[in-house]
């Protein structure tokens, strides 16, 4: 996100949602926190409901916002690794709180939690 766009926000929640608000962004951050470093295909397997186009877009936006680091190795076939930046790591408590809330919501609904291991 550029500074010009950030200057258009009316509150800090708006800025936070601009960074975290993508359909898979919080999930990507959660997986990168658990795994430290992931290749594109590992992220794709971890989030099978995301289309390749959507996943690529979300990763590019997170990189542009300084949340994740993309490391490209000059090999054939190309190898790309993703990890959280120091700024990205500051979002981990927020994403973990979202995860806790989700566990409680499944309990409230009385349905099995699809991801009880985290």
């Amino acid at each position: 996100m550029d500074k010009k766009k950030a200057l258009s926000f009316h509150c800090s929640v708006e800025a936070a949602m601009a960074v975290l608000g993508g359909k898979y962004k919080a999930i990507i951050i959660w997986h990168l926190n658990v795994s430290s470093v992931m290749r594109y295909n590992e992220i794709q397997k971890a989030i099978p409901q995301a289309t390749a186009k959507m996943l690529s877009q979300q990763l590019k936006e997170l990189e542009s916002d300084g949340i994740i680091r993309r490391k490209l190795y000059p090999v054939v076939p190309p190898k790309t690794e993703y990890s959280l930046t120091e700024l990205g790591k500051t979002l981990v408590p927020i994403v973990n709180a979202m995860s806790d809330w989700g566990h409680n919501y499944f309990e409230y609904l009385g349905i099995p939690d699809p991801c009880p291991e985290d």
Side-chain angles (χ1 to χ4, degrees):
M1 170 183 343
D2 61 17
K3 288 183 182 183
K4 186 176 179 180
K5 182 174 180 180
L7 287 170
S8 72
F9 296 145
H10 296 95
C11 73
S12 55
V13 174
E14 195 175 352
M17 289 305 298
V19 173
L20 269 177
K23 190 167 184 177
Y24 301 110
K25 289 180 180 180
I27 299 168
I28 292 167
I29 293 167
W30 186 84
H31 281 291
L32 287 175
N33 179 57
V34 170
S35 298
S36 252
V37 175
M38 294 178 81
R39 294 180 66 177
Y40 178 84
N41 63 342
E42 293 172 320
I43 298 171
Q44 198 169 33
K45 286 177 188 172
I47 311 171
Q49 67 275 26
T51 64
K53 179 182 176 187
M54 178 59 76
L55 186 57
S56 291
Q57 178 184 342
Q58 302 277 280
L59 288 167
K60 285 177 186 173
E61 288 176 12
L62 286 168
E63 182 184 14
S64 166
D65 290 339
I67 305 304
I68 64 172
R69 180 179 304 105
R70 179 179 176 260
K71 186 172 183 180
L72 181 61
Y73 293 91
V75 294
V76 177
K79 177 182 174 183
T80 307
E81 292 181 339
Y82 295 91
S83 60
L84 291 175
T85 62
E86 290 304 312
L87 179 62
K89 290 176 185 177
T90 66
L91 290 170
V92 170
I94 296 166
V95 173
N96 285 340
M98 292 169 67
S99 175
D100 292 343
W101 188 91
H103 291 305
N104 292 333
Y105 191 62
F106 283 122
E107 187 177 323
Y108 167 79
L109 294 174
I111 60 175
D113 190 334
C115 52
E117 71 279 355
D118 59 292

